[in-house]
Amino acid sequence: MGTTSMASRVFLLLLIILSSTNLSLSLYEDQVGLMDWHQQYIGKVKGAVFHTQKSGRRRVVVSTEENVIASLDLRHGEIFWRHVLGSNDVIDGIDIALGKYVITLSSGGGILRAWNLPDGQMVWESFLEGSGASKSLLTVPTNLKVDKDNLILVFGKGSLHAISSIDGEVLWKKEIAPESVQVQQIIQPLGSDIIYVLGFFGSSQFDAYKINARNGELLKHNSATFSGGFSGEALVVSSEILVTLDSTRSKLVIISFQDGEINYQQTHISDIFGDSFGTPVLLPSKLPGVFSVKIDGAVVFIRVTGEGKLEVLDKINNVAAISDAISLSEGQQAFALIQHGDGKIHLTVKPSHDLSGDLLKESIEMDNQRGTVHKIFINNYIRTDRSHGFRALIVMEDHSLLLLQQGAIVWSREDGLASIVDVVTSELPVEKEGVSVAKVEQNLFEWLKGHILKLKGTLMLASAEDVAAIQEMRLKSFEKSKMTRDHNGFRKLLIVLTRAGKLFALHTGYGQVVWSLLLPTLRRSETCKYPTGLNIYQWQVPHHHALDENPSVLVVGRCGKSSDAPGVLSIVDAYTGKEINSMAAIHSIAQVIPLPFTDSTEQRLHLLIDVNQHGHLYPRTSEAIDIFQRELTNIYWYSVEADNGIKGHVLKSNCIQEVIDNYCFESKDIWSIVFPSDSERIIATVTRKLSEVVHTQAKAIADEDVMFKYISKNLLFVATVAPKGSGPIGTATPEESWLTVYLIDTVTGRILHRMTHHGSQGPVHAVFSENWVVYHYFNLRAHRYEMSVIEIYDQSRADNKDVWKLVLGKHNLTSPISSYSRPEVVTKSQSYFFTYSVKALAVTLTAKGITSKQVLIGTIGDQVLALDKRFLDPRRSVNPTTAEKEEGIIPLTDSLPIIPQSYVTHALKVEGLRGIMTVPAKLESTTLAFAYGVDLFFTQLAPSRTYDSLTDDFSYALLLITIVALIAAIFVTWILSEKKELREKWR
């Protein structure tokens, strides 16, 4: 027995060693990105300044339409540093001062900041005050010296400010706005102490202010009237000449203001261009002594001579974009222009003084899914042969950013993903049999190399390079990035629609772009000048056994900014990204209602409501109309009216029009709720997700009691505030503001619950799930944010607790529920203080609805916090009973806890967070969450932990080693036991 016990001790020691090995390997460093991914973007670039000093990193500093300031590496396009300003802090101008500061003007000329160029730290910030709103202009002199304090000129808030470039101090201020002058340009001639402020007064008067740059003293003010009127835009040609168009855009007007004296010279457009049918447009390109006019699709370059005469230098067709001029050497400047043709973009760099010559002419193959070029910024460098080379930064129609150099695309960034409008998910195709290992694992060598690295990591023999390789393999593992479904439902496609009208399909594995499509229906054209993408919907979701059918999505948009603009529809294949069908210039689209019906091809029926409350059925097929006619009486919807009311609608009959349309239906109002405008104003509405699954209607509570949830997809949550409380926080006193919330049945218009929070105001964010709603608002009396919860229960089913009624069949558990039968409901509510302001709210969804819920909160810090729904239970009390504690009721506190470990985004930020979307996986314990803003973040969540699967960090290698060791120990023990028994027999 001694030998056996010794063997057992050896085996136990081996297990302890293996266990400690596992603990030492359970680090988070090599698990980053296994279940989540994070992508950073900047948005559509609208301003760029190059900084290519001889020593150090070459970079370009950009400002974007998403209010982002970023410094990008010119070699790879990576972000050195980035700052995302608030949604109300719009960037008006950007420049570089003193060779080391990035100067930005934002908030309508109200805030001027200086950022340290190498690391992006803020150096100083100046708040500029003024008497009114006006155009914002930033002027940073080009001759700034590091050791000399020069003036930065800013016009904003109706005033001209002179700011020190070193510390941001406002040296002087001169008001211009009280005289109602629309300032167009600020000019300070090189080396001069004179500043010219130029603008229009009304529609026909030009004003010129001559100001002393040292103290802001007004030296001279001249004005002159022009009988033809002005179009409202003016370009600087030189330090003494401006050019503009008259009010009819039929004449070019040259305005000279030498020493403040104003003179006009006008030239008919026809005298320069001949008979043209287009409307001339002045292009805002800064070229010395030259301006450009776009007419009839061509760009004409015109020089203004010393006598104010116009000289046509060149005419170029199909010009997409023109850059500003850059200095090459003393007195020599150049600019670039882009043309489209033959599936390529043609880049031409010309000297400003001689447009007939070309410094550079290149053609670059361009993906047609990027659209046309919108902007171009150029920079020059000195080649080894001392000649000038050029690099061009171009902004495409789909908001992507590319760097061109030596006839090739050096790098590209898909920054259109910074402006996602809507998201929908799609399942991947089912994996078919017959797929070879080579296709899955690429090649045998990579397969063996990967397994060797994993083995070295398990045995703690991996070097730092090996650990990095292992992490990269895990991030981009073949299993994770397969284009087929997995049995847990983790692999899906995220199909997103961007503000540029482009669709992207992102793989949930690690966020790679599977395909992209710039929708033709959402591109600007003569018939659709202001295209706007609205939403994406599931159009066709084939059953999993239909392997030859691809799912498709419906993209809804409109051609215009108003709600009555014509609508456009596109149907896109979710696997290939090809447009299957499109419809343009149809009726207006005010609301889209996905119906719970499908035809034989599994296309989902959709009802599109126009501004006249007419319903239009899609798809427009005879089968769809037959299905729709059978369910016509069961279709209800509601609309939030502009006159502060809510109306319920039902379909009546076919539309009465000149042309018969069997797919158009008129509606009638069946109920309406009008809130008195002097006391309430609607600020938020929210309903349940139609795809949400509720596991059970019954909820077991303490003392073996049962409550029945009031489950209805027709419930609407409405929040209203007092008119004075509809503004920003602080604009109303607690006595002047109150928040009222309603639960309304949208079929009958019956108000099931109403509650008022006195001394509270918006903004209100809410999420509706099952029978409860959680909403966030601001409490003016407590000066804190609050979150409240309302749960609604069905009292009419309370008798179902009687067992004898259940036995005798007299219970009403399976009786149909109708909105027209007056429900007996009871509500429970509770309010809690919450630390943060909120940008978005969502709730976790699972396949069967069994797993407990978490509320996902997008905080003001651009992070996502997961809060257990138990903290938002209205039945929480200060001293819960023993039965309530067993049920899981948490003792009541006045504030909701913020646990650092509950941040879904960990230490990362989703800058500019706008929305959170959740979708269930096939595994009941897991839900998939996608947060989007300027950045993108995706992760898997398990609100009740992964109770139905092994975790991803489970060590299969350790399990295998343990089994082998156990078998070996048994075999050794058996041999020792046999030898011992043999020795005992010989005694």
Side-chain angles (χ1 to χ4, degrees):
M1 290 298 293
T3 308
T4 306
S5 61
M6 182 181 69
S8 302
R9 287 197 296 269
V10 170
F11 174 64
L12 289 173
L13 181 61
L14 178 62
L15 285 182
I16 292 171
I17 293 173
L18 291 173
S19 302
S20 62
T21 303
N22 183 52
L23 290 174
S24 65
L25 285 175
S26 60
L27 302 176
Y28 291 105
E29 181 182 358
D30 64 344
Q31 295 177 355
V32 174
L34 287 180
M35 297 173 58
D36 55 61
W37 46 262
H38 180 234
Q39 298 176 354
Q40 293 182 319
Y41 298 99
I42 57 176
K44 184 181 181 181
V45 172
K46 63 179 181 179
V49 185
F50 289 89
H51 188 261
T52 53
Q53 68 275 30
K54 293 182 180 179
S55 62
R57 295 176 172 176
R58 291 179 171 84
R59 65 185 72 203
V60 58
V61 182
V62 298
S63 63
T64 73
E65 293 183 357
E66 300 297 325
N67 300 333
V68 177
I69 306 158
S71 176
L72 304 179
D73 180 11
L74 277 178
R75 296 184 184 275
H76 308 291
E78 297 171 349
I79 299 174
F80 279 139
W81 55 261
R82 180 185 63 159
H83 294 288
V84 182
L85 307 183
S87 57
N88 298 323
D89 198 4
V90 179
I91 301 171
D92 306 310
I94 184 171
D95 211 333
I96 292 180
L98 300 175
K100 59 180 180 179
Y101 293 158
V102 178
I103 307 296
T104 60
L105 179 67
S106 59
S107 293
I111 304 177
L112 187 72
R113 298 181 178 95
W115 314 85
N116 194 29
L117 183 58
D119 57 11
Q121 296 297 317
M122 186 187 296
V123 180
W124 50 257
E125 181 179 39
S126 295
F127 293 90
L128 310 179
E129 298 179 353
S131 57
S134 66
K135 185 178 180 179
S136 301
L137 299 171
L138 171 65
T139 302
V140 179
T142 56
N143 62 335
L144 286 180
K145 297 181 180 179
V146 176
D147 57 346
K148 183 181 178 182
D149 188 7
N150 290 267
L151 296 182
I152 297 174
L153 301 176
V154 173
F155 181 79
K157 303 290 185 182
S159 301
L160 179 66
H161 302 80
I163 295 102
S164 166
S165 58
I166 294 179
D167 57 9
E169 180 185 357
V170 179
L171 302 178
W172 54 260
K173 170 185 170 184
K174 178 65 180 176
E175 290 193 5
I176 307 292
E179 302 176 25
S180 301
V181 175
Q182 299 175 3
V183 173
Q184 298 294 321
Q185 299 289 343
I186 300 173
I187 298 176
Q188 184 179 10
L190 190 64
S192 173
D193 287 335
I194 301 299
I195 299 170
Y196 292 101
V197 181
L198 313 169
F200 299 121
F201 180 81
S203 60
S204 58
Q205 179 178 311
F206 181 78
D207 284 63
Y209 296 84
K210 185 178 180 182
I211 297 174
N212 188 338
R214 296 182 181 273
N215 53 22
E217 178 187 357
L218 180 63
L219 302 177
K220 198 173 186 180
H221 173 209
N222 286 23
S223 61
T225 304
F226 180 68
S227 58
F230 301 109
S231 62
E233 55 187 1
L235 298 179
V236 174
V237 179
S238 68
S239 60
E240 298 175 347
I241 295 176
L242 262 71
V243 63
T244 185
L245 291 166
D246 70 341
S247 58
T248 62
R249 292 185 178 267
S250 62
K251 297 177 183 178
L252 282 170
V253 183
I254 305 300
I255 308 173
S256 61
F257 50 92
Q258 187 173 9
D259 198 26
E261 298 297 330
I262 301 172
N263 294 304
Y264 298 120
Q265 288 183 325
Q266 49 185 321
T267 305
H268 280 277
I269 295 290
S270 58
D271 295 343
I272 301 174
F273 305 106
D275 294 332
S276 59
F277 302 98
T279 302
V281 178
L282 295 176
L283 299 180
S285 53
K286 298 176 182 177
L287 307 177
V290 178
F291 67 95
S292 53
V293 181
K294 189 170 186 178
I295 187 169
D296 287 340
V299 173
V300 180
F301 295 91
I302 304 172
R303 176 181 290 149
V304 181
T305 62
E307 298 80 19
K309 295 182 179 179
L310 304 181
E311 176 188 352
V312 177
L313 299 178
D314 200 358
K315 180 180 180 180
I316 305 175
N317 294 319
N318 302 321
V319 175
I322 302 175
S323 75
D324 292 342
I326 61 170
S327 296
L328 299 181
S329 59
E330 191 68 28
Q332 186 180 8
Q333 293 184 317
F335 70 96
L337 57 89
I338 291 282
Q339 295 171 280
H340 288 276
D342 301 327
K344 300 180 180 180
I345 61 171
H346 305 283
L347 171 64
T348 306
V349 179
K350 293 177 175 290
S352 299
H353 62 279
D354 182 16
L355 270 65
S356 60
D358 294 335
L359 298 175
L360 179 71
K361 198 172 184 66
E362 295 175 343
S363 295
I364 300 100
E365 292 281 349
M366 185 59 62
D367 181 7
N368 59 3
Q369 292 304 322
R370 295 190 184 276
T372 58
V373 177
H374 276 194
K375 288 180 181 292
I376 177 174
F377 308 92
I378 64 167
N379 175 245
N380 70 297
Y381 59 93
I382 304 298
R383 295 193 181 103
T384 54
D385 60 356
R386 309 306 297 171
S387 62
H388 289 285
F390 297 91
R391 56 175 69 94
L393 190 73
I394 60 172
V395 183
M396 303 300 293
E397 183 181 353
D398 67 341
H399 298 186
S400 60
L401 186 67
L402 297 88
L403 184 73
L404 309 181
Q405 190 172 336
Q406 297 180 353
I409 299 174
V410 180
W411 52 259
S412 63
R413 294 179 53 88
E414 294 290 355
D415 284 304
L417 288 168
S419 56
I420 291 176
V421 175
D422 197 14
V423 188
V424 72
T425 60
S426 174
E427 294 289 348
L428 286 164
V430 178
E431 186 171 4
K432 300 179 182 179
E433 296 180 358
V435 179
S436 66
V437 176
K439 286 185 177 181
V440 177
E441 301 287 355
Q442 290 188 342
N443 59 64
L444 185 60
F445 176 74
E446 292 293 332
W447 182 82
L448 289 172
K449 181 181 175 182
H451 281 72
I452 291 170
L453 282 174
K454 290 178 182 177
L455 182 60
K456 289 173 70 176
T458 303
L459 300 175
M460 293 191 300
L461 300 175
S463 63
E465 293 78 10
D466 292 337
V467 170
I470 293 170
Q471 184 172 345
E472 185 177 357
M473 282 172 48
R474 288 181 174 178
L475 289 174
K476 298 184 178 182
S477 62
F478 301 117
E479 185 66 30
K480 191 175 179 182
S481 59
K482 275 186 178 180
M483 285 301 299
T484 56
R485 300 182 196 181
D486 60 316
H487 63 279
N488 288 330
F490 295 160
R491 293 198 297 262
K492 297 180 186 292
L493 286 180
L494 295 169
I495 301 178
V496 301
L497 173 66
T498 67
R499 189 157 43 86
K502 189 171 185 178
L503 279 180
F504 289 89
L506 306 178
H507 196 291
T508 57
Y510 54 95
Q512 74 272 28
V513 176
V514 177
W515 56 258
S516 60
L517 173 66
L518 187 61
L519 289 166
T521 54
L522 292 179
R523 296 186 68 180
R524 189 166 183 173
S525 62
E526 291 295 328
T527 58
C528 189
K529 293 188 176 181
Y530 300 101
T532 305
L534 298 178
N535 296 103
I536 318 176
Y537 300 91
Q538 299 279 5
W539 177 257
Q540 186 177 20
V541 185
H543 195 265
H544 70 273
H545 60 72
L547 298 179
D548 297 328
E549 294 289 336
N550 290 0
S552 55
V553 294
L554 171 68
V555 182
V556 179
R558 65 166 66 109
C559 281
K561 298 179 180 178
S562 60
S563 59
D564 58 350
V568 294
L569 303 177
S570 289
I571 300 171
V572 180
D573 190 303
Y575 288 169
T576 63
K578 294 181 180 179
E579 189 175 48
I580 301 171
N581 192 11
S582 65
M583 287 163 274
I586 60 173
H587 51 82
S588 59
I589 301 175
Q591 197 173 352
V592 179
I593 304 173
L595 300 174
F597 317 121
T598 58
D599 61 13
S600 59
T601 62
E602 299 189 76
Q603 290 184 123
R604 188 167 185 175
L605 274 59
H606 290 74
L607 187 65
L608 276 61
I609 311 298
D610 62 21
V611 292
N612 298 317
Q613 296 301 328
H614 290 165
H616 302 265
L617 177 65
Y618 291 89
R620 297 168 72 87
T621 61
S622 57
E623 182 186 4
I625 198 69
D626 290 341
I627 298 171
F628 187 74
Q629 289 282 7
R630 292 196 296 269
E631 303 291 343
L632 188 65
T633 57
N634 295 323
I635 298 174
Y636 301 83
W637 78 92
Y638 72 93
S639 61
V640 180
E641 305 296 315
D643 57 355
N644 204 41
I646 301 176
K647 290 184 178 179
H649 312 278
V650 68
L651 295 175
K652 186 172 57 174
S653 59
N654 284 101
C655 299
I656 302 175
Q657 298 175 341
E658 295 180 1
V659 179
I660 298 175
D661 186 356
N662 294 327
Y663 303 97
C664 176
F665 297 86
E666 291 186 347
S667 66
K668 64 178 179 180
D669 300 342
I670 54 175
W671 59 264
S672 65
I673 300 174
V674 179
F675 300 96
S677 57
D678 57 344
S679 61
E680 295 184 63
R681 183 172 297 172
I682 299 173
I683 61 168
T685 60
V686 67
T687 58
R688 276 184 57 202
K689 272 192 175 183
L690 296 177
S691 59
E692 184 183 27
V693 177
V694 179
H695 175 62
T696 177
Q697 187 183 5
K699 180 179 179 179
I701 60 176
D703 301 323
E704 299 181 357
D705 202 355
V706 176
M707 297 183 71
F708 291 90
K709 306 171 187 176
Y710 184 76
I711 305 295
S712 173
K713 293 185 178 181
N714 301 318
L715 275 184
L716 171 68
F717 170 82
V718 180
T720 67
V721 294
K724 289 187 177 181
S726 59
I729 295 173
T731 56
T733 63
E735 290 74 22
E736 295 173 329
S737 182
W738 53 88
L739 170 69
T740 307
V741 296
Y742 300 85
L743 290 179
I744 300 172
D745 189 297
T746 57
V747 174
T748 62
R750 185 179 293 116
I751 297 175
L752 302 180
H753 178 71
R754 178 182 184 274
M755 185 168 63
T756 301
H757 301 272
H758 295 283
S760 299
Q761 70 170 105
V764 172
H765 296 273
V767 61
F768 207 142
S769 176
E770 292 190 351
N771 68 319
W772 53 266
V773 59
V774 171
Y775 53 100
H776 177 276
Y777 55 93
F778 188 76
N779 188 324
L780 290 169
R781 296 186 188 276
H783 302 285
R784 298 176 68 177
Y785 287 100
E786 281 189 3
M787 289 184 76
S788 292
V789 57
I790 300 173
E791 292 185 355
I792 182 168
Y793 292 94
D794 189 352
Q795 286 293 93
S796 63
R797 298 178 179 267
D799 292 339
N800 293 335
K801 293 177 290 185
D802 193 331
V803 177
W804 288 109
K805 284 189 175 183
L806 180 64
V807 173
L808 298 174
K810 294 183 178 181
H811 64 91
N812 60 350
L813 189 61
T814 58
S815 60
I817 300 174
S818 172
S819 292
Y820 281 106
S821 60
R822 181 176 293 275
E824 300 176 25
V825 296
V826 61
T827 59
K828 296 180 180 294
S829 61
Q830 184 68 270
S831 298
Y832 306 91
F833 290 123
F834 189 69
T835 304
Y836 295 138
S837 174
V838 165
K839 286 188 173 183
L841 284 180
V843 63
T844 56
L845 301 176
T846 54
K848 304 296 182 183
I850 301 172
T851 306
S852 59
K853 302 281 187 180
Q854 283 183 337
V855 178
L856 301 183
I857 304 170
T859 67
I860 192 65
D862 291 323
Q863 292 183 295
V864 179
L865 176 70
L867 185 65
D868 196 315
K869 171 59 176 62
R870 292 185 302 158
F871 289 108
L872 288 160
D873 193 328
R875 295 173 53 239
R876 287 177 64 184
S877 58
V878 177
N879 296 309
T881 64
T882 304
E884 288 176 335
K885 288 180 180 179
E886 292 176 355
E887 182 191 342
I889 298 294
I890 302 172
L892 179 64
T893 55
D894 61 346
S895 298
L896 293 172
I898 296 178
I899 305 169
Q901 292 81 0
S902 297
Y903 280 103
V904 172
T905 47
H906 316 300
L908 303 172
K909 283 188 176 183
V910 186
E911 295 282 5
L913 179 65
R914 288 192 303 273
I916 304 170
M917 185 200 72
T918 59
V919 60
K922 289 182 181 177
L923 207 62
E924 170 56 28
S925 64
T926 308
T927 182
L928 310 178
F930 178 62
Y932 58 91
V934 176
D935 296 346
L936 307 182
F937 181 82
F938 174 86
T939 189
Q940 300 173 17
L941 301 177
S944 299
R945 300 183 181 248
T946 52
Y947 56 83
D948 51 359
S949 66
L950 295 173
T951 59
D952 285 343
D953 58 353
F954 181 81
S955 180
Y956 293 94
L958 177 62
L959 177 61
L960 180 62
I961 292 171
T962 304
I963 294 172
V964 171
L966 182 59
I967 294 172
I970 292 172
F971 184 71
V972 170
T973 305
W974 176 76
I975 293 174
L976 294 175
S977 177
E978 287 290 326
K979 287 183 177 180
K980 182 182 178 183
E981 186 177 353
L982 182 60
R983 285 196 302 268
E984 288 179 350
K985 287 181 178 180
W986 279 101
R987 287 178 183 177

